[in-house]
Amino acid sequence: MQRLRVEFTTEPFDLEEAPEHAVVAREVIEAADLDAVDVGPFGNTAEGGADAVLTAVDALLRRALDAGATRVSLQVNVIGETESGAAPGTGEDDK
């Protein structure tokens, strides 16, 4: 199974205190079944299995937008191995 890393930010920013949409987004990620979570004031990162990350991203987008986010920027990267044990992109699975 593939492992994924998601990096995300929500806007608008508020330097005085975290807006509700940012708090909600962090709560979603922290409650998800992910292996590694790093939350910060200007960006957040989480890693886990593909299904867990994609489920968390769906919930993150829905809940952050409902909580007032006007923009959610995110990037998803494949970082782990596939089910067969070959690294993604090596072509080993194609043999």
Side-chain angles (χ1 to χ4, degrees):
M1 164 154 279
Q2 289 181 331
R3 288 185 47 78
L4 302 178
R5 175 184 300 125
V6 61
E7 300 174 49
F8 68 92
T9 58
T10 61
E11 295 179 40
F13 294 114
D14 183 342
L15 297 178
E16 299 298 318
E17 69 178 73
E20 183 179 353
H21 58 81
V23 172
V24 166
R26 289 179 191 149
E27 289 173 352
V28 167
I29 290 299
E30 289 174 338
D33 186 22
L34 301 171
D35 302 332
V37 175
D38 182 25
V39 295
F42 299 107
N44 308 282
T45 305
E47 296 178 11
D51 288 339
V53 170
L54 295 174
T55 297
V57 166
D58 178 63
L60 163 90
L61 290 170
R62 293 174 190 278
R63 295 208 37 220
L65 292 170
D66 285 346
T70 58
R71 179 181 189 151
V72 179
S73 300
L74 64 90
Q75 177 174 305
V76 178
N77 294 302
V78 175
I79 60 167
E81 295 185 351
T82 61
E83 209 168 295
S84 69
T90 62
E92 294 296 318
D93 291 333
D94 297 332
K95 293 182 181 177

